[in-house]
């Protein structure tokens, strides 16, 4: 069959040619905002989503010798969920948000009787359903993250630091379509006008 054992392939992220320039501009925007608004490190949050695979498959399979594209079961269609992780510039890790595919929390999320479930909830961690057939972040899950994880953290740190209630804070995100959408930005501006959005340039997260 002219088969050989090959590693799975996937499209590589393309770093923009002007990455040094756009990352420099992003840095200057952040620095100017921190200076002008007098924002301490504890009030700058960097948040991002990552995929967590529940059942990891092999990364290799048999394919025709010389194949440029190799598909492997478990590499494209996964049993997984999205984990929203965040940390402050002062080094404090915030509670996580786990996003599962589905519409019914009773069928999609870990059961309240699961081991350590109560402990996780008491520490502020959150489980959400995407209300879709996939486990990606949505407008609703992002609003839940901001309202139930980022805002309580900001408010606690503002009180600890003795700052005014309307103290400006920064939420630093990548340019995932939901994060940069007019819908999310408008909601954030109206609901929490003291939270300022800053973005990592597209294709530059790894930098």
């Amino acid at each position: 069959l002219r088969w050989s054992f090959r590693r799975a392939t996937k499209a590589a992220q393309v770093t923009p040619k002007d990455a040094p320039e756009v990352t420099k501009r992003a840095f200057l925007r952040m620095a100017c905002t921190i200076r002008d608004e007098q924002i301490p490190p504890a009030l700058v949050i960097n948040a991002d989503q990552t995929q967590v695979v529940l059942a990891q498959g092999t990364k290799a399979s048999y394919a025709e010798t010389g194949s440029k594209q190799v598909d492997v079961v478990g590499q494209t269609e996964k049993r997984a969920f999205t984990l929203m992780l965040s940390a402050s510039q002062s080094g404090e890790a915030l509670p996580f948000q786990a996003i599962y595919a589905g519409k019914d929390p009773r069928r999609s999320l870990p059961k309240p009787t699961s081991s350590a479930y109560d402990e996780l909830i008491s520490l502020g961690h959150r489980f959400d359903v995407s209300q879709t057939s996939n486990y990606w972040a949505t407008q609703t899950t992002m609003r839940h993250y901001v309202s139930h994880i980022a805002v309580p953290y900001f408010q606690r740190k503002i009180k600890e630091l003795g700052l005014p209630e309307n103290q400006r804070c920064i939420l630093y995100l990548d340019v995932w379509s939901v994060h940069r959408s007019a819908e999310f930005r408008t909601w954030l501006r109206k609901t929490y006008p003291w939270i300022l959005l800053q973005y990592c340039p597209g294709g530059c997260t790894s930098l």
Side-chain angles (χ1 to χ4, degrees):
L1 296 175
R2 297 184 61 247
W3 281 8
S4 60
F5 202 58
R6 308 296 299 275
R7 302 285 290 183
T9 56
K10 63 179 181 180
Q13 177 179 320
V14 178
T15 301
K17 294 181 179 179
D18 60 346
E21 179 62 24
V22 295
T23 52
K24 178 181 178 181
R25 291 179 183 178
F27 165 76
L28 292 174
R29 281 194 297 271
M30 176 76 79
C32 288
T33 302
I34 290 172
R35 180 200 62 190
D36 296 345
E37 300 293 345
Q38 294 293 294
I39 301 175
L43 298 183
V44 179
I45 290 177
N46 182 5
D48 198 4
Q49 290 112 358
T50 186
Q51 176 182 254
V52 179
V53 179
L54 297 174
Q56 182 66 57
T58 179
K59 294 183 178 180
S61 181
Y62 279 98
E64 187 174 345
T65 301
S67 298
K68 299 296 184 182
Q69 184 67 33
V70 180
D71 294 322
V72 173
V73 174
Q75 291 293 307
T76 53
E77 293 296 327
K78 299 180 176 70
R79 292 292 178 261
F81 62 93
T82 292
L83 198 63
M84 180 69 156
L85 302 169
S86 47
S88 71
Q89 195 175 29
S90 60
E92 183 171 346
L94 278 68
F96 66 65
Q97 177 195 39
I99 304 168
Y100 290 77
K103 297 183 178 181
D104 187 346
R106 295 170 300 179
R107 301 183 62 182
S108 299
L109 300 183
K111 295 183 182 299
T113 54
S114 301
S115 175
Y117 182 91
D118 290 338
E119 181 182 2
L120 285 172
I121 298 302
S122 69
L123 292 172
H125 301 298
R126 183 176 179 86
F127 296 96
D128 281 313
V129 289
S130 66
Q131 298 293 327
T132 67
S133 59
N134 61 54
Y135 48 86
W136 300 341
T138 64
Q139 294 289 338
T140 300
T141 63
M142 278 304 300
R143 293 183 187 190
H144 286 173
Y145 166 78
V146 171
S147 297
H148 299 289
I149 296 178
V151 166
Y153 167 80
F154 280 144
Q155 291 175 334
R156 175 170 60 85
K157 300 307 289 188
I158 287 172
K159 186 175 182 180
E160 288 178 4
L161 296 170
L163 298 171
E165 292 184 358
N166 64 346
Q167 166 67 42
R168 297 287 185 131
C169 304
I170 290 176
L171 178 59
Y172 186 63
L173 301 171
D174 63 16
V175 290
W176 165 244
S177 59
V178 173
H179 299 165
R180 59 183 169 81
S181 67
E183 182 179 350
F184 177 67
R185 289 185 287 111
T186 300
W187 172 83
L188 189 68
R189 191 181 307 116
K190 290 182 177 179
T191 311
Y192 304 108
W194 45 274
I195 298 179
L196 306 176
L197 278 176
Q198 295 272 331
Y199 292 104
C200 176
C204 297
T205 302
S206 60
L207 302 178

